[in-house]
Amino acid sequence: MPLPHISVMLLLPFIILLLTTAACTALGFLVHRQAVTWTAMAGLIITAASLIPLWDRHLSSFGGALLGDPFGIALSLVILLGALLALLSSLDSAKRSSLSFPEYDLMLLLGVLGSVLLAMAGNLIVLLIGLEIMSLSAYVLATLQASRSSEEAGMKYFLLGAVGSAVLIYGIALVYGATGHFGLSGIAAALGHAAASNLPVLLLGTLMLLVGFGFKVALVPFHQWTPDVYSGSPTLVTLYMSVVIKTAAFAGLIRVFQMALSGVHGWVIPAEVIIALTLILGNFAALREENFKRMLAYSAVAHSGYLALALVAKSSLAEPALIYYLLTYTLMNAGAFAVVAVLQRDDSGVTISDLRGLYSRRPGLAVALAALLASLSGLPPFAGFFGKFVLFSAALQSGFVGLTVIAAVTSMAALFYYLRPAALMFFSEPAQTPQLPAAPRQYSAVAVWVAVGGTLLIGVLPNLVMQLLQRPLT
Amino acid sequence: MLPVYLLPLLPFLGFLVLILFGRRFPGPLAGALASALVGLAFVVALIDFFSVRSVPMHELLWSWLPGIGGKGHNLEIGFYLDRLSSLMTLVVTGVGFLIHVFSIGYMEHDPRFPRFFAFLNFFVALMLILVLADSYPLMFVGWEGVGVASYLLIGFWFEGKINANAARKAFVMNRIGDLGFLLGIFLIFRQYGTTVLPSLAKMPIKTDSALELICLFLLVGAIGKSAQLPLTTWLADAMAGPTPVSALIHAATMVTAGVYLVARSHFFFSQAPVASSWVAWVGGLTALYGALSAMNQYDIKKILAYSTISQLGYMFMAVGVGAYWAGMYHLVTHAFFKALLFLAAGSVIHALQGEQDTRKMGGLAKTMPLTGAVGLIAVLAISGIPPFSGFFSKEAILGASFAYSPWLWAVGTFTALLTAFYMLRWYLLVFSGTYRGQAHPHESGPVMAVPLVALAILAALGGVIGPQLLGSNWLENYLKPVLGLPSLHNPATTELSLIAIAVLLALLGFLWAYLRYRSGRLTDLRGFGPISAKALYLDDLYAGSVASPSKAISGALERTDRVFGGGMSATGEVLTEPGRWTNLWQSGFVRVYALSMLLGTLLLVLYLAVRMLGGSL
Amino acid sequence: MIPTSDYLLLSGLLFTLGIVGVLIRRTAVLVFLSVELMLNAANLAMVAFARAWGQLQAQSAVFIVMTLAAAEVAIGLAILIAIFRKRVSTEVDPLSEMKG
């Protein structure tokens, strides 16, 4: 029997990540944690470098189980960027959160490994493996801090995540049962001549896949873990979770539903309902939040709603929009959480009243946070505006008018809860002067400014990114 | 020839540096930096002014949203420098520079000194974007931006609630105007397929009702921004801000944006006679209204504010009757003498430690001779006394309006009489007679004096760029390639008689003021006085007719929403109520979350089952 | 030959039992046990389908899922130990300090 085609170039990123993890494990016994973090960051950069030559080659490996198409590569690069920003902020903020030990970096690296595997998966089982690696490391990361809220967050994430994974696996089983394939392209082909009797099983499996992924990306009503886990976990972990895991999960979601299951029509209407609920609930729940970190969690739910528009829209329009938006989302969220990590006294985050008059105390940070909030709310000239623009037009042009209207309206309501902290920073005087940590945080500052700069750059010159995406992506 | 984008870039850099690192600049260093950047921008503007004589420069910077803008056009960002915009950039940066320098002295005791200069730089940057924009949407960006800057600067001392309210009133009234502007832009795009100015200027434009509507919408925008009737009331309240702000924004630059908009859109307005007549008459009536309201004000700045409204009315008259160059001419001279008037007022207010009531002033020409002298020059200029600059520009406007309509001319000329009256009254109340206050006034330092002198020279001699009484007219010819020639001209004899009448009436106005001064009845004009002081009750009219009913309606709506209390917090409560329900749903119990997830799954399965049973799979 | 649908029925039943267990049980370990039940229900379904399609691929997938379940158990129990080391009971309900 001939050996399956194995493309070593495609395996290189994974090998590099594994080697980095091994190196960090060994180093962890020997040197200070900071050195481990630097090694990890170097490894991530080398991995990114190894991904770039794969760009237009459309390599695949293991009979289609690993797909090196531009979609997967682009999203893997976004994941690596998010992880880099997370590690960068942790260089000086981890000590305050008592996270300054090498296991943190190791878990993060393994999570990145799982995420990249998920983004480049071409087969349901490989996808599952990547998803599980990513999730398991995330459960550990959430619990890593020895505080009550961290424990609670980890427990909730684990239990609910296990339930979500179980549903997902059952869905995979059903989809396999209906089509006889695990490979995404195989499933798509099998849909053409599927027996009618298989259809209920297929649909049930599809809906369960929707549930499983819906949990991971926080779609309503599977989102309830997000506010608690995001606000209970240490802020640095939340930073990582909110960008890397969301990107990878969306990569998987879009791959499965656009590549494999686009021939099945039964899931579109439930998906529309779910998206609408997510948009409405995510935006409205954030309106009343006093805790800034928790508000960002609800905002993450709302953004999942916007991103999920790419689920139902036509793939040729949706995929570039999704990639662009995930890139900006990574930058915006990483920046915002990095600012919280700098400002917080403990990992319960900052309250919105703590932000009053921030401009008079820390002008640079206030301006950066205001820019990030403006981008999150979708104001030009920041990237958030263009991201929403392409996503909404993709949905509109695919015929989902009502959904787009809901998205636009809730997005306007969102302006309030994004801009209120921004205004408070500049136009109020602090009620009392809360003790802000005095140590300078250069690395976190670099992370924040990279985020702000990136948001401005690709917001003002979106063509830089969009040009790269005007090609067949999968 | 230097790249055009440098012009808004330099002050914007100043804004960024000062807003981020303001605390690192001790003492007057922040002010020096800000002034230096604007001064540098002025140098760039000057260099470009000399190179642009022959051919306009259209600098395309980048395409922002590709594929938008219909028919394969992109929403592009570009700057367009021709003679008209070049002239404006000189005014904005030149006068702006002088006011920056003045502010170094005026704001020296303010604890938020760097932030003030950051906002001033921000304003100049956005005003330049407005002036240099090559398309209406980009101009709108600058339009909005200067509105924001104005809001920030009026409310700069936001501890006083009055100031915050004034800022808000300005913002709201501008909003109404902006709506008109936006509608105009949309209509332009729909009619002509593009909003890029050079392309529109080359298009064949026919007179039709769509064009009239476009011009009327643009007029609404201009009215809001330039405080013309009926949206005038915000400008007087905007005087709550620091005086350099009033000088820069509410005299020399931002409020002239409306005039600039009409002049820039001359290719539209010249084919839209109905809309143009609206422009002219709005201008004329506003000029009259402003003058009437200024006659009995007590506040040293409010007199000047109403005067600004009035002079802006003149500019609107000019562009309305088709004499676009004359409107620009008056814009330039007005920038000189109005900024000078405000800075002189600022010098007085600074010397009197914040006193602004003219009834507590007087005799200051003895203790502040320089300020008194420049103040007098400014008064002579604005009243249209030859050979000061205001004479030439006002003559150009009155001459053109006479050829258009003698009634309009009559309104303008009567206003000139009133202008002379209230301006001399201003001068006499502040500088002549005996001092009626308690403070110890002294002349301002050199930092504040030098800009005063510079502006005085400009106000006195600025007239040379305009028409000689007979013979060639430099400014008109300079702007001719851009704006075209006005279609109306008077024969020379008529011109001379018009000039004679105007000068005569100005002197009459002076005489009237002086006589009342001698008889001690200058501060309070009986009979007409209270009406003037209340700005012809326009503000109260708005409060009664617009603000109160809308408050009543919103109150009724609130009650129907079953929410108690009034105001924003109640509306906020209603709108965020669904947010609270979700917060209740997040009970904290993981089993509840699991239940929600599984219920969701169950619903999906049920949906599937229903579809199957229904057979429509 | 037992028809596939019987297997599926059993699998569905086990899955539902697992769901019920997750919702009802208050002790963390028992909740986790119910999740394991759900996972094994999925495994059963996959084996049944593998036999129906006559492919070995799905059976290897079952092994993979079992491995993943084992990893999940390891991590899950580690988390449980870390959390409940300091507490008296292993009930999940008291872990509800974050709400709203």
Side-chain angles (χ1 to χ4, degrees):
Chain A
M1 204 176 75
L3 277 174
H5 170 67
I6 302 177
S7 164
V8 180
M9 274 199 76
L10 196 52
L11 287 180
L12 208 53
F14 299 101
I15 294 176
I16 297 177
L17 276 172
L18 277 171
L19 284 175
T20 315
T21 314
C24 289
T25 317
L27 278 176
F29 290 110
L30 303 169
V31 298
H32 201 25
R33 184 238 164 195
Q34 304 258 7
V36 177
T37 314
W38 284 111
T39 320
M41 289 206 286
L44 287 177
I45 295 180
I46 301 178
T47 314
S50 73
L51 276 171
I52 293 178
L54 296 172
W55 179 244
D56 253 331
R57 301 243 203 131
H58 283 265
L59 291 174
S60 75
S61 193
F62 293 108
L66 265 185
L67 290 176
D69 52 13
F71 181 76
I73 294 177
L75 287 179
S76 302
L77 287 171
V78 173
I79 290 171
L80 290 169
L81 175 66
L84 261 172
L85 289 172
L87 281 176
L88 197 57
S89 321
S90 79
L91 271 176
D92 45 29
S93 298
K95 198 120 193 216
R96 282 198 110 242
S97 305
S98 359
L99 281 178
S100 189
F101 38 83
E103 282 81 355
Y104 172 79
D105 306 280
L106 287 174
M107 281 294 134
L108 202 141
L109 276 175
L110 287 171
V112 171
L113 179 64
S115 309
V116 175
L117 189 59
L118 176 54
M120 302 224 277
N123 176 306
L124 281 176
I125 295 298
V126 174
L127 190 142
L128 179 64
I129 296 175
L131 187 75
E132 284 297 306
I133 297 178
M134 178 182 85
S135 308
L136 289 174
S137 70
Y139 303 152
V140 174
L141 278 171
T143 331
L144 214 51
Q145 193 190 49
S147 70
R148 284 186 81 86
S149 50
S150 179
E151 290 170 358
E152 186 180 328
M155 169 59 66
K156 285 184 177 164
Y157 198 13
F158 173 70
L159 285 177
L160 294 171
V163 172
S165 296
V167 174
L168 185 85
I169 294 175
Y170 203 82
I172 291 180
L174 289 176
V175 169
Y176 168 73
T179 56
H181 287 269
F182 282 112
L184 295 176
S185 39
I187 296 176
L191 285 179
H193 38 257
S197 55
N198 288 343
L199 220 40
V201 174
L202 179 63
L203 260 179
L204 187 59
T206 311
L207 289 174
M208 299 193 90
L209 281 176
L210 189 59
V211 170
F213 277 111
F215 168 83
K216 269 281 163 271
V217 303
L219 293 175
V220 173
F222 317 108
H223 71 287
Q224 292 199 287
W225 59 275
T226 306
D228 293 354
V229 173
Y230 275 31
S231 53
S233 309
T235 310
L236 291 170
V237 172
T238 314
L239 198 166
Y240 160 79
M241 284 198 295
S242 70
V243 300
V244 171
I245 295 193
K246 179 134 332 169
T247 307
F250 262 108
L253 178 66
I254 298 299
R255 269 208 195 283
V256 170
F257 279 85
Q258 292 271 13
M259 274 181 70
L261 296 170
S262 51
V264 182
H265 297 295
W267 58 265
V268 176
I269 296 187
E272 279 186 69
V273 173
I274 288 178
I275 297 175
L277 284 175
T278 311
L279 288 167
I280 296 175
L281 188 136
N283 280 310
F284 272 96
L287 284 172
R288 289 291 202 102
E289 259 320 312
E290 253 312 301
N291 183 304
F292 190 60
K293 198 170 157 191
R294 206 172 166 85
M295 187 209 91
L296 284 176
Y298 277 117
S299 120
V301 174
H303 279 280
S304 291
Y306 302 131
L307 283 163
L309 285 174
L311 178 64
V312 293
K314 220 161 51 162
S315 62
S316 56
L317 299 162
E319 281 164 15
L322 180 83
I323 296 176
Y324 180 86
Y325 200 90
L326 279 171
L327 176 61
T328 55
Y329 180 73
T330 299
L331 287 168
M332 299 189 291
N333 248 34
F337 278 111
V339 172
V340 175
V342 171
L343 290 176
Q344 63 183 16
R345 259 164 292 161
D346 59 41
D347 279 295
S348 60
V350 286
T351 59
I352 295 193
S353 9
D354 280 344
L355 289 175
R356 273 179 187 273
L358 186 66
Y359 177 68
S360 48
R361 289 173 275 141
R362 307 282 288 263
L365 219 52
V367 170
L369 188 59
L372 291 167
L373 286 171
S375 184
L376 279 167
S377 66
L379 288 176
F382 298 100
F385 166 73
F386 192 69
K388 286 207 169 91
F389 177 75
V390 281
L391 267 176
F392 289 2
S393 38
L396 198 61
Q397 284 173 18
S398 310
F400 294 94
V401 180
L403 210 52
T404 315
V405 169
I406 295 180
V409 168
T410 52
S411 173
M412 284 200 283
L415 274 171
F416 174 69
Y417 66 79
Y418 284 123
L419 294 183
R420 189 173 138 248
L424 280 178
M425 284 194 291
F426 291 100
F427 296 126
S428 308
E429 299 307 318
Q432 74 282 26
T433 341
Q435 265 74 17
L436 286 180
R441 313 277 197 95
Q442 325 93 282
Y443 299 115
S444 299
V446 169
V448 171
W449 286 108
V450 165
V452 173
T455 310
L456 251 169
L457 181 69
I458 61 178
V460 162
L461 298 170
N463 270 330
L464 284 182
V465 176
M466 295 307 278
Q467 257 166 20
L468 293 170
L469 301 173
Q470 298 301 335
R471 63 191 64 217
L473 286 171
T474 46
Chain B
M1 184 84 214
L2 291 171
V4 179
Y5 64 79
L6 277 182
L7 280 167
L9 183 66
L10 287 166
F12 193 73
L13 282 175
F15 161 68
L16 280 178
V17 167
L18 286 173
I19 202 94
L20 290 175
F21 305 115
R23 281 178 306 177
R24 312 253 182 99
F25 289 88
L29 201 56
L33 175 70
S35 313
L37 283 169
V38 178
L40 210 58
F42 176 70
V43 171
V44 173
L46 203 59
I47 294 177
D48 282 345
F49 173 77
F50 286 116
S51 359
V52 86
R53 315 188 110 223
S54 36
V55 65
M57 245 187 70
H58 190 178
E59 222 176 66
L60 275 173
L61 293 179
W62 68 78
S63 332
W64 184 40
L65 291 176
I68 321 300
K71 304 190 195 85
H73 296 304
N74 304 322
L75 204 66
E76 281 163 343
I77 312 249
F79 290 134
Y80 184 61
L81 188 73
D82 64 353
R83 294 183 169 188
L84 177 61
S85 46
S86 185
L87 188 64
M88 279 297 284
T89 59
L90 283 178
V91 171
V92 172
T93 51
V95 176
F97 171 69
L98 291 170
I99 295 180
H100 272 75
V101 172
F102 182 86
S103 309
I104 299 178
Y106 189 79
M107 301 290 290
E108 63 185 344
H109 297 304
D110 195 289
R112 283 196 298 264
F113 188 82
R115 201 199 278 203
F116 182 76
F117 280 96
F119 288 158
L120 271 188
N121 265 14
F122 177 70
F123 169 80
V124 172
L126 277 147
M127 186 72 204
L128 285 169
I129 291 182
L130 192 160
V131 165
L132 290 168
D134 76 334
S135 63
Y136 281 108
L138 185 60
M139 191 192 290
F140 188 69
V141 169
W143 191 270
E144 289 296 296
V146 297
V148 168
S150 167
Y151 172 79
L152 290 172
L153 284 165
I154 295 177
F156 189 70
W157 297 316
F158 47 70
E159 284 86 39
K161 205 149 175 333
I162 311 168
N163 301 351
N165 282 339
R168 216 175 301 133
K169 188 194 261 191
F171 204 58
V172 170
M173 288 210 141
N174 268 303
R175 281 265 139 266
I176 303 174
D178 296 344
L179 183 64
F181 193 174
L182 267 180
L183 288 172
I185 298 181
F186 293 150
L187 209 51
I188 291 175
F189 181 66
R190 196 161 168 281
Q191 276 296 101
Y192 301 104
T194 175
T195 53
V196 179
L197 285 161
S199 318
L200 282 171
K202 293 199 204 78
M203 280 194 172
I205 297 185
K206 290 183 340 294
T207 312
D208 57 17
S209 49
L211 183 66
E212 298 281 1
L213 200 57
I214 288 174
C215 292
L216 280 173
F217 279 139
L218 291 179
L219 176 62
V220 171
I223 284 178
K225 195 58 111 187
S226 298
Q228 300 292 292
L229 285 173
L231 298 175
T232 60
T233 49
W234 65 271
L235 191 56
D237 288 355
M239 296 297 116
T243 310
V245 171
S246 312
L248 181 61
I249 299 187
H250 305 118
T253 47
M254 183 179 93
V255 291
T256 57
V259 181
Y260 178 72
L261 174 65
V262 177
R264 189 85 255 178
S265 316
H266 65 94
F267 43 82
F268 282 145
F269 281 92
S270 52
Q271 305 295 327
V274 175
S276 295
S277 69
W278 274 88
V279 175
W281 279 100
V282 163
L285 290 172
T286 308
L288 185 60
Y289 166 78
L292 286 173
S293 307
M295 280 171 58
N296 202 36
Q297 297 293 328
Y298 301 129
D299 186 300
I300 189 175
K301 281 171 65 174
K302 280 221 163 74
I303 300 176
L304 298 178
Y306 285 111
S307 163
T308 305
I309 295 176
S310 177
Q311 297 298 310
L312 287 168
Y314 273 118
M315 295 180 222
F316 270 73
M317 263 173 67
V319 297
V321 306
Y324 301 102
W325 71 273
M328 293 305 299
Y329 189 19
H330 199 61
L331 196 155
V332 173
T333 60
H334 176 261
F336 296 152
F337 53 68
K338 195 43 71 61
L340 178 59
L341 282 168
F342 269 107
L343 290 190
S347 182
V348 166
I349 296 173
H350 186 86
L352 297 179
Q353 256 104 29
E355 180 61 66
Q356 290 187 214
D357 191 331
T358 49
R359 291 171 292 190
K360 299 206 182 76
M361 298 181 190
L364 291 175
K366 299 192 204 82
T367 40
M368 306 176 67
L370 177 68
T371 310
V374 300
L376 187 61
I377 294 179
V379 167
L380 291 173
I382 194 176
S383 309
I385 306 293
F388 294 96
S389 55
F391 162 69
F392 294 103
S393 54
K394 206 177 273 197
E395 275 326 299
I397 297 179
L398 289 176
S401 56
F402 183 78
Y404 181 82
S405 151
W407 289 108
L408 194 59
W409 171 85
V411 170
T413 313
F414 179 60
T415 308
L417 168 71
L418 298 177
T419 307
F421 170 77
Y422 71 72
M423 282 315 309
L424 191 64
R425 172 176 175 270
W426 181 86
Y427 178 80
L428 293 171
L429 280 177
V430 176
F431 292 105
S432 300
T434 47
Y435 181 50
R436 298 181 287 275
Q438 264 88 39
H440 304 285
H442 54 280
E443 186 57 80
S444 319
V447 174
M448 288 166 66
V450 166
L452 285 176
V453 172
L455 282 171
I457 297 176
L458 286 169
L461 304 175
V464 299
I465 66 169
Q468 316 311 312
L469 288 179
L470 302 153
S472 71
N473 180 339
W474 183 84
L475 186 67
E476 191 176 356
N477 286 328
Y478 178 74
L479 289 175
K480 180 168 74 168
V482 180
L483 294 174
L485 279 174
S487 41
L488 313 156
H489 274 287
N490 300 313
T493 46
T494 326
E495 285 275 359
L496 281 173
S497 31
L498 291 176
I499 292 172
I501 295 176
V503 175
L504 205 61
L505 284 177
L507 292 171
L508 218 79
F510 278 171
L511 193 64
W512 183 18
Y514 189 67
L515 286 176
R516 289 197 76 99
Y517 167 67
R518 291 305 294 232
S519 63
R521 293 187 297 149
L522 197 58
T523 46
D524 193 2
L525 305 168
R526 233 142 304 234
F528 179 62
I531 305 179
S532 164
K534 282 288 204 170
L536 281 71
Y537 295 113
L538 194 59
D539 203 18
D540 301 320
L541 179 69
Y542 282 147
S545 63
V546 175
S548 304
S550 58
K551 277 196 208 129
I553 293 174
S554 66
L557 285 175
E558 280 178 336
R559 261 173 271 126
T560 59
D561 279 346
R562 279 180 275 115
V563 174
F564 305 103
M568 298 287 282
S569 55
T571 327
E573 288 280 326
V574 170
L575 286 177
T576 58
E577 192 63 19
R580 200 148 63 79
W581 301 335
T582 43
N583 291 346
L584 289 173
W585 188 18
Q586 284 287 122
S587 60
F589 292 108
V590 66
R591 292 194 292 151
V592 172
Y593 301 172
L595 181 63
S596 311
M597 276 174 64
L598 294 166
L599 269 180
T601 318
L602 187 65
L603 281 172
L604 286 175
V605 173
L606 276 177
Y607 164 78
L608 182 61
V610 165
R611 285 273 304 257
M612 273 175 58
L613 290 176
S616 62
L617 215 50
Chain C
M1 179 106 145
I2 306 174
T4 317
S5 47
D6 286 359
Y7 285 111
L8 286 183
L9 202 57
L10 178 62
S11 158
L13 214 56
L14 287 174
F15 196 72
T16 320
L17 279 176
I19 290 180
V20 171
V22 165
L23 291 174
I24 291 187
R25 292 298 179 185
R26 280 179 306 178
T27 314
V29 177
L30 287 176
V31 172
F32 194 34
L33 195 66
S34 316
V35 174
E36 284 295 303
L37 192 56
M38 290 165 77
L39 282 170
N40 284 306
N43 274 341
L44 182 60
M46 224 182 291
V47 172
F49 285 128
R51 200 190 65 153
W53 282 100
Q55 292 175 356
L56 286 177
Q57 191 186 5
Q59 297 189 12
S60 52
V62 170
F63 279 118
I64 294 181
V65 173
M66 277 196 229
T67 316
L68 289 173
E72 212 162 346
V73 169
I75 295 205
L77 288 177
I79 294 181
L80 256 69
I81 291 177
I83 293 177
F84 292 107
R85 206 201 297 255
K86 306 182 221 147
R87 297 169 207 249
V88 176
S89 80
T90 51
E91 295 199 354
V92 283
D93 285 345
L95 287 167
S96 53
E97 284 166 22
M98 291 187 287
K99 52 184 88 174

